[in-house]
Amino acid sequence: MADQSALSIFQAVSTVALWGIVIWLVCIHITEYVKKRTRIRAVVLDGQGGIRDEHVLGKQKEVLIGKSTPARMVNIDFSDSAYAGSIQAEHASFVRYGAYWYIQAVSEQGMVGLRQKSGDTVYKLRRNIPYRIKQGDIVYISYEKIVIQ
């Protein structure tokens, strides 16, 4: 009789512990999902480091970077930049795949660079290859800076 009551207590404790683990894992999953869905901002800096423009990377699939023309409007426009001569009409784009944002060079000419938050090196991006961006990264369009926040 004592063995049966000990077995019942063990089963009850095991069941409660198992449900506790399941609930804990679900909470972690929800927390990670919410972190991924947090909207990030692309902050365009001026020559003195002040904020020139700001774009929320939200639900859209793509944010085009370059110079607006009568035939094609871009989301982040560098037409009036001091470096406009080295920026193409369709220079680069932020692209969303799932919950993550990426930067990719669109133009064959012109430089697109990426400096990750934890590094000092600016990597020149290859054309049409998406590179994942995170908060704290800096994207260079020619000599213009876009800070990811």
Side-chain angles (χ1 to χ4, degrees):
M1 186 72 164
D3 289 336
Q4 190 173 14
S5 73
L7 182 62
S8 296
I9 291 172
F10 176 75
Q11 287 177 336
V13 169
S14 298
T15 303
V16 169
L18 181 63
W19 276 107
I21 292 170
V22 167
I23 291 170
W24 178 67
L25 290 173
V26 167
C27 288
I28 289 174
H29 180 73
I30 290 171
T31 302
E32 289 299 315
Y33 178 78
V34 168
K35 282 182 187 177
K36 289 178 188 175
R37 297 300 297 173
T38 302
R39 291 187 182 157
I40 61 176
R41 297 179 305 149
V43 178
V44 181
L45 301 180
D46 63 15
Q48 289 75 36
I51 296 175
R52 176 179 161 200
D53 203 0
E54 184 177 319
H55 299 272
V56 174
L57 303 181
K59 294 183 179 186
Q60 65 269 37
K61 291 280 187 192
E62 182 177 21
V63 175
L64 189 60
I65 304 166
K67 297 187 296 189
S68 289
T69 63
R72 177 86 162 139
M73 297 298 291
V74 296
N75 302 96
I76 299 177
D77 190 4
F78 288 109
S79 297
D80 61 348
S81 166
Y83 306 103
S86 63
I87 298 174
Q88 305 301 310
E90 293 184 14
H91 198 92
S93 64
F94 290 116
V95 182
R96 182 171 56 90
Y97 295 109
Y100 299 107
W101 280 93
Y102 297 80
I103 181 73
Q104 69 181 23
V106 176
S107 173
E108 289 184 25
Q109 303 147 351
M111 197 277 286
V112 179
L114 175 64
R115 186 178 77 183
Q116 296 173 327
K117 177 182 180 179
S118 59
D120 293 329
T121 305
V122 177
Y123 298 97
K124 184 177 180 187
L125 305 187
R126 296 178 60 198
R127 184 173 179 254
N128 293 329
I129 297 176
Y131 296 85
R132 185 166 172 218
I133 56 172
K134 299 176 186 170
Q135 292 178 338
D137 292 349
I138 298 176
V139 174
Y140 293 88
I141 305 297
S142 183
Y143 294 99
E144 297 286 353
K145 289 183 183 178
I146 301 174
V147 178
I148 307 303
Q149 296 181 342

